[in-house]
């Protein structure tokens, strides 16, 4: 009898939890990222290897801005203070990182831990894709011409740096999140994160040259929160936020 | 069938050849084992690897503060000498092998310690990095065996040396003077300039110079350095790795055990 009562209590408790989550609801976060200042001229790098594929000169531009509005591309956006409950829709999948025309494509890639990173070489020269996570090697593989892709599961959250030891001008970044609430800004400096649990959250934006900005937002149930981040030329920045 | 027996025999011989690192006396990885390992570590390893295992021991200053390679930082979880895929942690046997054999030119062999003592040090070294408690390193299999027809093997190995662009770092004649090396572009994980190995001097190979050692290095790469893993490519044909290893050995006139 006691066991039956305990069983019913556990069921009721789970139902209450589910109801609470449903009542809490979910919303979306719209992020706009802007750069205010003069865009530095691209750095000219003389190519000493494989000019037939890589060209003789590389112009590295690490800040991609749409003028005149200043909308910043390739900024990675993430909800900070949230943990995967195991009940949300995951975004674990196979993500392809290409060595293409002596650059990494995509240049920045957010993904959820548990995803598989599939590395491929589309060039007719050898690359060696060398990815590090903090001080630890994640993978360092020779990508020979016409070789098959190499896949590895990303288990740990954090920022991964992607390099090619043969072509030092090649670099990229992978940001691994424990939860599915992340995005990357497009050519219009925009990113949208959907199905975020309603409530107060910290949201951060990271850019490879401009650093990190953070804002506190409130996501309304079935509504949208908007956060606008501004990076400044002098290394400072600020954010505005709005709920609808 | 005869050919298969020959391959099996060679694999067995190779396995026996690496039996200097057997784990007959390996103790359980307990708090007591780690405590015994700590005593030994502080007596023998601390001077280079530091009290907290960060590779910052006092002797490190005399090794060249800004020269590569630095003593291993065990807290970073990145290990050069493994039998496991690139980026994975080493197996216990890998750590035991490095302690036993040392690293030519850099770290002495600690074969004079008892096997039990070396295993205790392995247990303590692993305690510096929490990943050892959650990850299970699995060695890559050393498939295949050397081809008995040496001339054919060397021809294939030479072709692989070219198609894998080993000359980019190691040079056309394997002297460690490839264009990327000469340009000073090779860096280790600390950003320190690093030299490609001179393949004509196998006695200086840090990860060993026997054929199985070379095959293992080609498959795993050397984490923390620009030397990548060729495992994905070398799994196409079982003899490829052995052919390339034969060719690397042939680059030198040194007598290699």
């Amino acid at each position: 009898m006691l066991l039956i009562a305990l069983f019913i209590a556990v069921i009721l408790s789970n139902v209450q939890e589910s109801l609470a989550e449903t009542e809490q609801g979910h919303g979306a976060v719209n992020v706009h990222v802007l750069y205010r200042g003069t865009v530095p001229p691209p750095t000219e790098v003389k190519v000493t290897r494989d000019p037939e594929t890589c060209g003789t000169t590389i112009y590295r531009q690490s800040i991609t801005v749409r003028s005149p509005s200043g909308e910043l591309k390739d900024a990675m956006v993430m909800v900070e203070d949230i943990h995967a409950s195991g009940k949300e829709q995951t975004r674990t999948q196979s993500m392809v990182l290409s060595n293409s025309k002596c650059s990494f494509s995509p240049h920045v890639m957010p993904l959820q831990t548990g995803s598989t990173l599939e590395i491929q070489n589309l060039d007719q020269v050898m690359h060696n894709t060398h990815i590090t996570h903090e001080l630890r090697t994640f993978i360092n593989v020779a990508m020979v011409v016409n070789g098959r892709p190499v896949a590895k599961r990303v288990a740990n959250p954090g920022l991964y740096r992607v390099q090619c030891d043969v072509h030092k001008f090649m670099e990229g970044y992978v940001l691994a999140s424990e939860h599915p609430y992340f995005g990357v800004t497009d050519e219009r400096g925009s990113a949208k994160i959907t199905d975020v649990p309603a409530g107060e959250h910290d949201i951060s934006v990271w850019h490879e040259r401009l650093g990190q900005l953070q804002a506190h937002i409130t996501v309304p149930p079935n509504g949208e929160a908007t956060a606008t981040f501004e990076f400044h030329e002098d290394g400072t920045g600020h954010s505005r936020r709005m709920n609808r | 069938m005869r050919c298969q027996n020959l391959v099996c025999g060679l694999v067995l011989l190779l396995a026996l050849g690496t039996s200097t690192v057997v784990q007959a006396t390996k103790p359980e990885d307990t708090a007591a084992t780690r405590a015994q390992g700590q005593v030994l570590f502080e007596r023998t390893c601390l001077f280079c690897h530091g009290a907290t295992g960060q590779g910052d021991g006092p002797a490190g200053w005399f090794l060249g503060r800004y020269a590569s390679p630095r003593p291993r930082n065990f807290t970073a979880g990145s290990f050069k000498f493994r039998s496991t895929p690139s980026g994975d942690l080493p197996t216990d046997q890998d750590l035991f092998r490095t302690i036993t054999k040392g690293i030519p030119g850099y770290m002495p062999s600690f074969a004079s310690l008892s096997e039990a003592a070396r295993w205790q040090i392995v247990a303590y070294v692993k305690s510096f990095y929490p990943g050892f408690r959650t990850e299970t390193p699995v060695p890559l299999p050393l498939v295949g065996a050397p081809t008995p027809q040496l001339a054919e093997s060397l021809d294939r190995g030479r072709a692989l040396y070219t198609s894998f662009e080993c000359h980019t770092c190691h040079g056309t004649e394997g002297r460690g003077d490839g264009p990327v090396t000469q340009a000073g572009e090779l860096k280790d994980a600390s950003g320190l300039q690093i030299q490609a190995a001179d393949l004509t001097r196998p006695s200086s190979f840090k990860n060993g110079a026997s054929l199985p050692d070379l095959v293992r290095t080609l498959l795993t790469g050397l984490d923390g350095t620009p030397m990548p893993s060729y495992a994905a490519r070398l799994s196409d044909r079982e003899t490829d790795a052995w052919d390339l290893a034969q060719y690397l050995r042939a680059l030198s006139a040194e007598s290699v055990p």
Side-chain angles (χ1 to χ4, degrees), chain A residues 7 11 36 43 55 75 95 124 127 129 173 185 208 212 228:
Chain A
F7 181 70
I11 296 273
R36 298 296 185 210
T43 309
M95 304 291 289
Q124 287 302 302
H127 292 292
T129 304
Y173 296 90
T185 57
E208 63 183 280
Q212 188 167 355
T228 302

Side-chain angles (χ1 to χ4, degrees), chain A residues 34-50:
Chain A
L34 305 170
Y35 174 71
R36 298 296 185 210
T38 308
V39 178
T43 309
E44 185 178 321
V45 181
K46 292 289 179 198
V47 177
T48 54
R49 286 193 48 73
D50 307 316

